[in-house]
Structure formats: structure tokens, C-alpha cells
Amino acid sequence: MTTRRTASNDKALDAFIAAKAEIDTMLERLKALSDDHFESHPDEIHWGHVGTLKHYAGLLRQITDSAFKEGEHAA
């Protein structure tokens, strides 16, 4: 028995793939920035840099907690 996707399912799949591609692009850019130490030189690091990275980490934690059902999203 074969299953045929509906047109609305095709549209949902296309939208899903587009959203995934957008996420992949953002992750690649973020990884490259991280590999470059967020464009910071060790001699120039100050507490503002620390605060910025902690802010980024908090935002990413919200995403990972949601995706992996951890933290406040734990069952």
C-alpha cells in the first residue's frame, strides 16, 4: 500500500525544510563566530564581553531546553 501526501502536506514539508535551512545557516554563522572567539582579542576582553556571551548562552539555553525537553521544559 502506498501513501500519497496531500498538497497541504507538501506545503508544510516545504516550509519545514525552509525553516530548517534557515536554522542551519544561523548555526553555521554562530559556529564560525565562536571559532573566531566572537571577534575578541584576549588582551581586550572585559566584563562586557562576558555579559554578552552569558546573554547569548541564556538565549541558546532556552532553545536547547525546549528542543531537548530539559530545564523548564522537562516533563
Side-chain angles (χ1 to χ4, degrees):
M1 180 170 145
T2 59
T3 304
R4 187 178 162 122
R5 289 194 312 230
T6 65
S8 64
N9 190 34
D10 286 345
K11 289 180 182 179
L13 179 58
D14 290 345
F16 179 89
I17 291 170
K20 183 192 175 308
E22 183 179 14
I23 290 170
D24 289 346
T25 298
M26 288 187 281
L27 290 172
E28 288 170 14
R29 291 181 69 209
L30 190 57
K31 177 68 170 116
L33 187 62
S34 178
D35 288 346
D36 190 33
H37 298 91
F38 294 89
E39 300 178 339
S40 299
H41 187 276
D43 295 335
E44 298 171 355
I45 298 293
H46 54 74
W47 286 106
H49 293 100
V50 175
T52 297
L53 288 185
K54 286 189 169 281
H55 177 70
Y56 293 167
L59 294 172
L60 289 169
R61 189 172 305 106
Q62 289 177 28
I63 294 168
T64 57
D65 282 356
S66 177
F68 296 108
K69 295 174 181 40
E70 298 171 340
E72 68 181 50
H73 299 277

